[in-house]
Every structure is written in C-alpha cells, then in structure tokens.
Amino acid sequence: MKRVVVLTGAGISAESGLKTFRDSDGLWEGYNIEDVATPGAWESNPELVQDFYNQRRRSVLEAVPNAAHYALAKLEEKYDVTIITQNIDDLHERGGSTKVIHLHGIITRSQSGIKANLTYPINGWELKMGEMCELGSQLRAHVVWFGEAVPMIETAAQICAKAELFILVGTSLAVYPAAGLINYVPRNVTKYIIDPTIPTTTNNRMVEMPYKATVGVPMLIDELMENDV
Ligand code: APR
C-alpha cells in the first residue's frame, strides 16, 4: 500500500468547535499562549495553568470529529496512512484513524512534572492539584509547552522522509520544529495543502487547495479513493 503522511494542525478541528491559535488576534481563549503554555508559567502559577488545560480538556471531550477526521480514517482502506498531528485533541482517534502521532502531546493524558515520558490516562475532564505521579511530583497536562523538547520529532521526520504522498491540513506552519517536517518529504512527492489561508512554505510539487477542512479533505480523499495516484 502506498504510504500517505498527513500533517495536521488546529484548522482540522476548527469545525468541531475547537479554536485555532492564530486566527483570533494572537489570543487563545483570552490568554497569551506564552502565559499558560511554558514551563515558567507552570512554575509561577500552576493553578492557572492546570485550570486552563482542564477547560481545554472539557471542550475537547465535548467536541466530536468532523467530516475531515472521518475522511482521513476512510483513507486507510486503500493506503498506509500515518497522521502526524500538532493537535492535543483526540479527534483523529475518535474519527477512526489508527496511526496517529501526537507531536505536542494529548490532553486526555497527564504527565509527571519531572519525567515527561511518564504519562497516565485522565478520568473525566479535571486534573486536580494534589494528584501526583508515582515519583511524587504534581501531575500536569501531557502537552509540549513552548521551550520544551518535542520527543516525537525524530520519528516524525523519518516517517516524512518515507512518504509517497503528503497532505497538509489546517496549520499555519508558524511553530518549529513541526513546521520543518515538510522539508523531510522527498522533493518528487506530491504535497497537497488544504487550508483556507495557504501557509507560506517553499517546496516542490505543491497542490494548493484553499478550502476549509470539511470541504477540502473529503474532496481530496474521494479523489484518492477513486483514482490511483
Ligand atoms: N479548515 C482548515 N484550516 C483552517 C480552518 C478550517 N475550517 N480554519 C482555520 N484554518 C487554518 C488557518 O488558516 C491556519 O493556517 O488553520 C491554521 C491554524 O493555524 P494555527 O492557529 O497557527 O494552528 P497550528 O498551525 O496548529 O499551530 C501550531 O502552535 O501554539 C502552538 O502547540 C500549538 O500545535 C500548536 C502549534
């Protein structure tokens, strides 16, 4: 089966009701991202950061996958599909996709405050202060903050290097190292870009599809299911 690699960002979940980061004047749910998504924020105001992610988790649990998530799951019937997502929601999984790499973590899990790869499932939406990991440190949301390492980036780069077809959906390509992944995709591989605002990037063989995810993704997937590309 042909190897398809899909890199997704906040735009694919926008129509499920989850806000993107950079579409509303730099503020995200009323916060500067840096005030809630950095190790410094956690050190100086852990309650605020915990509460912020608890609210985000509640929104994620209330959201449902949309036509774009479902279409990508359907693509597995004919292709070997790996999704690399920058999103911390679990909508790809709930949409039925089976190979999903979360570059920036996943909000339905918690992580040790001192050992990033020590993670646990969270029951419900609320992670409380006082809930500890087995090493005795306060649990936080399993998300990669600004200034932290992105442990999955090497794996993701290797997968991109083996792509035979590449699809980019709903990302501004503003945040590295994720934004650099497209450069690992071989030059002769076709790269579809689905986003109402096509992000600035230089690469070979790009096909721009300036549509919302729920329109553009099913359109492309129908085409890929019907024709061999
Ligand atoms: N369908 C498809 N794309 C959309 C839609 C939609 N309905 N609505 C908005 N978009 C696009 C925007 O045009 C934009 O290019 O989604 C993109 C959202 O960009 P960002 O808000 O920058 O989100 P993302 O690229 O995922 O951000 C990357 O930044 O703060 C960090 O860790 C966070 O993973 C996140 C990373």
Side-chain angles (χ1 to χ4, degrees):
M1 280 205 263
K2 202 161 192 171
R3 282 188 300 275
V4 180
V5 177
V6 190
L7 177 60
T8 66
I12 197 166
S13 297
E15 291 161 272
S16 290
L18 301 175
K19 281 194 185 138
T20 64
F21 299 92
R22 293 174 184 81
D23 281 323
S24 55
D25 41 282
L27 287 185
W28 186 45
E29 303 281 354
Y31 292 87
N32 285 314
I33 299 172
E34 290 75 11
D35 290 343
V36 284
T38 61
W42 178 241
E43 250 169 59
S44 58
N45 201 343
E47 287 85 5
L48 175 89
V49 174
Q50 196 76 293
D51 182 56
F52 176 78
Y53 284 103
N54 281 341
Q55 299 310 325
R56 303 284 75 70
R57 188 174 304 107
R58 191 147 69 165
S59 304
V60 164
L61 293 176
E62 284 167 4
V64 292
N66 63 47
H69 299 105
Y70 288 124
L72 288 174
K74 186 172 167 221
L75 197 61
E76 292 187 11
E77 290 169 15
K78 193 172 163 195
Y79 297 86
D80 174 5
V81 183
T82 307
I83 295 176
I84 302 170
T85 187
Q86 299 166 83
N87 299 343
I88 58 174
D89 66 57
D90 61 350
L91 295 182
H92 283 301
E93 286 89 346
R94 280 197 269 144
S97 289
T98 60
K99 275 201 279 180
V100 186
I101 291 179
H102 282 271
L103 277 182
H104 296 159
I106 186 161
I107 200 165
T108 52
R109 295 185 75 83
S110 64
Q111 93 180 37
S112 158
I114 50 176
K115 194 167 183 238
N117 63 0
L118 192 53
T119 72
Y120 306 89
I122 300 174
N123 244 332
W125 62 273
E126 196 179 13
L127 181 58
K128 295 193 178 74
M129 299 309 288
E131 286 187 63
M132 304 293 180
C133 76
E134 65 209 59
L135 303 175
S137 82
Q138 171 64 48
L139 287 170
R140 50 170 267 194
H142 176 43
V143 297
V144 174
W145 288 330
F146 287 94
E148 293 189 313
V150 180
M152 292 308 288
I153 197 72
E154 289 291 324
T155 307
Q158 282 168 19
I159 290 166
C160 287
K162 291 200 181 122
E164 293 172 290
L165 199 77
F166 185 76
I167 307 171
L168 192 70
V169 189
T171 173
S172 62
L173 291 181
V175 171
Y176 283 83
L181 283 173
I182 192 169
N183 300 322
Y184 288 88
V185 181
R187 292 180 67 77
N188 62 339
V189 166
T190 305
K191 297 150 194 98
Y192 295 93
I193 305 187
I194 302 167
D195 195 309
T197 309
I198 300 291
T200 311
T201 176
T202 51
N203 212 296
N204 272 28
R205 299 194 60 159
M206 296 201 292
V207 180
E208 298 183 356
M209 300 179 67
Y211 307 113
K212 287 185 168 187
T214 59
V215 174
V217 178
M219 191 190 289
L220 175 62
I221 298 318
D222 280 351
E223 167 86 23
L224 295 178
M225 293 302 285
E226 273 169 30
N227 302 307
D228 275 318
V229 288

